[in-house]
Amino acid sequence: MFEVDNISHKLMIYAGIIMYIFGSIGNILNIYVFTVWSRTKKTSNKHSHSCRTNNSSLYLLVSSISNLIVILYPLFTRIMLDGYEYHITKHNVFIICKLRYYILHTCDVISLTCICLATFDRYLISSRKVRLRKLSTTRKQTKLILLFIICLFGIHSIPIFKYYSVSKTGYCTIISTIYLYYYLYTFQIFLHGIIPIIFLSVFGILTFKQLKIISKRKNHYGTMNFDKQLSRMLLLISLAIILSSIPYCIEQSYLVLFKKNNRQYKSYFRLYHVACSILYYTNPVTSFYIYYISTRSFRLQIHKMFCCTRNTHLVIVYRVKPITMSKQDF
């Protein structure tokens, strides 16, 4: 049993640190790309104005910021708790339990909601019906929707500060039985599981079918090509969300329904808990790498960021060369 516990601790430490580093770097790059893409037409160039002016970029920008916050604080504290067995006391319960779970659930639900809205936006834009395309919100309306979402889930998670505390065995626990079941069904099962899985599955498939039907139509600006790439990107991130959410929801349901929220794990169940925790953070950590692999426009934007100085130099050389040649002819 001691060997299983040791494996659990080592797995959380090594996997957690790797996820922390690559997840932080990836989401910082996500924020850069989606910030560029979400600019208005006045600040965008001819080659990328089609991808910078749609609402999906704004939704994915907020999602990436939320994912970065989840990695920087909740994932870090998870490594300390499950990896290094950091002890929770009444003196640090606010930082380790109350604040941690408030940030975790607020930012995670905001991220999932933004991905759902981005998928729905792609469905509206790719529709052949004018009536549905007109339902796509303007840039100002999109910002208001995002502000409403942030305020809504921020207020909804406030009871976490009141009902989260530390148990006698040194684990974070909810002291109210009523809020415990509300927390289980609302946060863990519906907001983190059933609702995003069903929503992303339905509108992801509908968007894919619509793009498949109209894929033969050519667009001079390459908008349709970008729509297909972005839709494929959202489908892949939706699949990652589904795979990462199910094991964690099963674990939380088992603890509340059968273990009465007793967090004192046995050896093999602790290993399963660590595996579920790692899968839970897979979505915010791997989003950049899913975007990079699935979307050519995303890759070009990243390459442009690292190669901008070299490209500018090449442009100057090609502009000077014809001028010198024209003088020699005279």
Side-chain angles (χ1 to χ4, degrees):
M1 293 298 180
F2 176 77
E3 294 181 357
V4 177
D5 288 337
N6 189 44
I7 292 173
S8 301
H9 297 320
K10 296 295 183 182
L11 179 62
M12 189 70 248
I13 292 172
Y14 294 131
I17 291 175
I18 292 173
M19 293 172 71
Y20 187 88
I21 295 172
F22 285 95
S24 300
I25 295 172
N27 279 286
I28 290 172
L29 294 175
N30 281 345
I31 293 171
Y32 165 78
V33 173
F34 295 130
T35 300
V36 173
W37 284 4
S38 60
R39 291 175 183 173
T40 60
K41 291 183 179 180
K42 293 181 180 180
T43 60
S44 50
N45 55 48
K46 296 179 181 179
H47 299 286
S48 58
H49 80 276
S50 61
C51 64
R52 293 180 180 178
T53 55
N54 59 69
N55 300 326
S56 300
S57 300
L58 281 172
Y59 290 129
L60 293 175
L61 172 61
V62 176
S63 175
S64 298
I65 295 173
S66 300
N67 287 339
L68 180 62
I69 296 173
V70 168
I71 291 171
L72 291 179
Y73 188 67
L75 177 57
F76 175 76
T77 51
R78 175 54 62 193
I79 296 171
M80 297 299 296
L81 292 172
D82 291 340
Y84 296 99
E85 295 185 283
Y86 186 79
H87 188 61
I88 304 173
T89 63
K90 292 182 179 180
H91 300 288
N92 58 19
V93 64
F94 179 83
I95 297 176
I96 302 300
C97 293
K98 297 178 183 290
L99 183 61
R100 177 186 183 274
Y101 280 99
Y102 177 84
I103 294 175
L104 173 63
H105 292 299
T106 301
C107 292
D108 191 49
V109 173
I110 289 174
S111 177
L112 289 174
T113 304
C114 288
I115 292 175
C116 290
L117 291 174
T119 304
F120 183 67
D121 181 70
R122 301 319 303 169
Y123 166 73
L124 294 177
I125 291 176
S126 62
S127 176
R128 292 181 295 170
K129 298 180 181 180
V130 179
R131 178 176 57 84
L132 291 178
R133 289 201 300 271
K134 288 183 177 180
L135 292 177
S136 181
T137 57
T138 62
R139 183 182 177 85
K140 184 177 180 180
Q141 291 172 336
T142 302
K143 290 181 178 180
L144 291 175
I145 291 173
L146 289 170
L147 180 62
F148 173 76
I149 290 170
I150 294 171
C151 294
L152 175 65
F153 291 118
I155 296 173
H156 179 259
S157 300
I158 288 178
I160 289 177
F161 286 112
K162 180 179 180 180
Y163 294 114
Y164 252 101
S165 184
V166 59
S167 64
K168 296 180 180 179
T169 54
Y171 293 94
C172 294
T173 186
I174 297 176
I175 57 177
S176 172
T177 305
I178 297 175
Y179 186 74
L180 174 64
Y181 283 98
Y182 175 82
Y183 174 86
L184 169 67
Y185 290 108
T186 303
F187 280 104
Q188 305 296 350
I189 296 179
F190 287 101
L191 294 180
H192 289 286
I194 295 176
I195 294 177
I197 288 173
I198 294 176
F199 192 95
L200 292 172
S201 300
V202 171
F203 286 100
I205 293 172
L206 290 175
T207 304
F208 181 77
K209 288 182 177 180
Q210 288 180 164
L211 291 176
K212 193 174 181 181
I213 293 173
I214 60 179
S215 60
K216 294 182 180 180
R217 297 182 180 181
K218 295 182 179 180
N219 190 294
H220 177 70
Y221 296 101
T223 305
M224 186 54 59
N225 183 43
F226 177 79
D227 285 344
K228 290 175 65 177
Q229 294 178 40
L230 187 56
S231 299
R232 182 170 62 247
M233 178 178 75
L234 289 170
L235 284 173
L236 290 175
I237 198 67
S238 300
L239 181 62
I241 291 172
I242 294 171
L243 294 177
S244 62
S245 300
I246 293 176
Y248 184 79
C249 292
I250 294 174
E251 179 203 2
Q252 296 300 315
S253 301
Y254 173 78
L255 286 173
V256 174
L257 297 176
F258 299 101
K259 300 286 289 185
K260 296 183 179 179
N261 205 35
N262 182 10
R263 302 277 168 167
Q264 195 169 6
Y265 304 110
K266 294 183 179 179
S267 296
Y268 288 103
F269 191 79
R270 177 181 292 276
L271 182 60
Y272 176 76
H273 164 73
V274 170
C276 290
S277 299
I278 292 173
L279 287 174
Y280 181 84
Y281 290 100
T282 299
N283 171 43
V285 169
T286 60
S287 59
F288 166 78
Y289 306 97
I290 292 175
Y291 299 154
Y292 187 86
I293 294 172
S294 62
T295 312
R296 183 174 180 271
S297 300
F298 191 91
R299 292 195 297 270
L300 291 176
Q301 191 66 56
I302 294 295
H303 296 165
K304 182 181 178 181
M305 180 184 69
F306 289 108
C307 305
C308 57
T309 305
R310 185 179 63 184
N311 290 341
T312 304
H313 179 263
L314 290 175
V315 171
I316 295 174
V317 170
Y318 279 104
R319 286 180 178 177
V320 172
K321 188 174 180 181
I323 297 174
T324 57
M325 290 296 292
S326 61
K327 290 182 179 179
Q328 289 177 359
D329 293 337
F330 287 106

